[in-house]
Amino acid sequence: MYALARPVNGTYLKALMLSLPFFERLPDQSVIYKKGNGEKYERAACTRGKDYLLVYSYTGKRVGIDLAKISGRCKRVWLMDTRDGSLAYKGEYADGKEMFDIPAENVLIAVDDSKGYVGVSQDNIIGKTVTNINKDLTE
């Protein structure tokens, strides 16, 4: 029913997942505050840590996100295309609830402004992120 123009490349999803603290990450659908998130392929999948959150949309949709679920008064937001790893910086948002249009096969990334997980000028997830730092994954 939903044909992909380009296949998803697991390399970029892996880079994204490893660029953020791994062991504190939890699935959390309460990040979506708007009712009617959908079912099966229409559902946005959410996961978060203490200072970041990720929302994936398979088909593309407008989603209400509660940015207060993560630390910090100000959040920086990007969209990552899972097919090529490209990042589009969407701006800074205050703590609270916001509506975002997440295109198909994209991940919305929201990070506490005080953290340096992703750079504002970074245009691809394969770049200067914490994946380039020798990190103890047993943290």
Side-chain angles (χ1 to χ4, degrees):
M1 178 181 226
Y2 297 103
L4 299 175
R6 296 175 291 173
V8 173
N9 187 329
T11 302
Y12 303 111
L13 286 173
K14 179 180 178 182
L16 173 62
M17 299 306 270
L18 292 177
S19 70
L20 301 164
F22 183 80
F23 291 104
E24 70 182 43
R25 184 176 305 130
L26 301 169
D28 187 0
Q29 290 301 119
S30 73
V31 166
I32 297 179
Y33 74 88
K34 198 115 167 122
K35 297 291 182 197
N37 181 25
E39 297 177 7
K40 296 183 181 180
Y41 301 112
E42 294 295 327
R43 186 172 187 83
C46 309
T47 186
R48 69 175 178 86
K50 295 174 187 169
D51 47 23
Y52 68 91
L53 62 85
L54 306 172
V55 181
Y56 172 76
S57 177
Y58 178 69
T59 59
K61 65 185 307 175
R62 187 163 176 78
V63 181
I65 305 294
D66 186 358
L67 295 172
K69 296 284 183 175
I70 59 173
S71 66
R73 292 177 40 194
C74 184
K75 304 341 187 246
R76 289 190 175 169
V77 176
W78 293 261
L79 285 173
M80 184 191 89
D81 188 326
T82 59
R83 297 165 291 197
D84 61 11
S86 62
L87 293 170
Y89 181 63
K90 294 299 174 186
E92 294 183 5
Y93 293 83
D95 205 13
K97 297 176 178 176
E98 294 284 341
M99 293 295 293
F100 294 97
D101 289 310
I102 305 175
E105 296 296 327
N106 273 240
V107 177
L108 179 130
I109 306 164
V111 176
D112 179 341
D113 184 40
S114 68
K115 305 299 177 185
Y117 299 135
V118 183
V120 173
S121 62
Q122 192 173 332
D123 62 359
N124 197 290
I125 197 63
I126 306 289
K128 188 180 177 188
T129 64
V130 289
T131 56
N132 293 340
I133 300 170
N134 288 332
K135 186 175 178 185
D136 178 9
L137 293 178
T138 62
E139 46 181 61

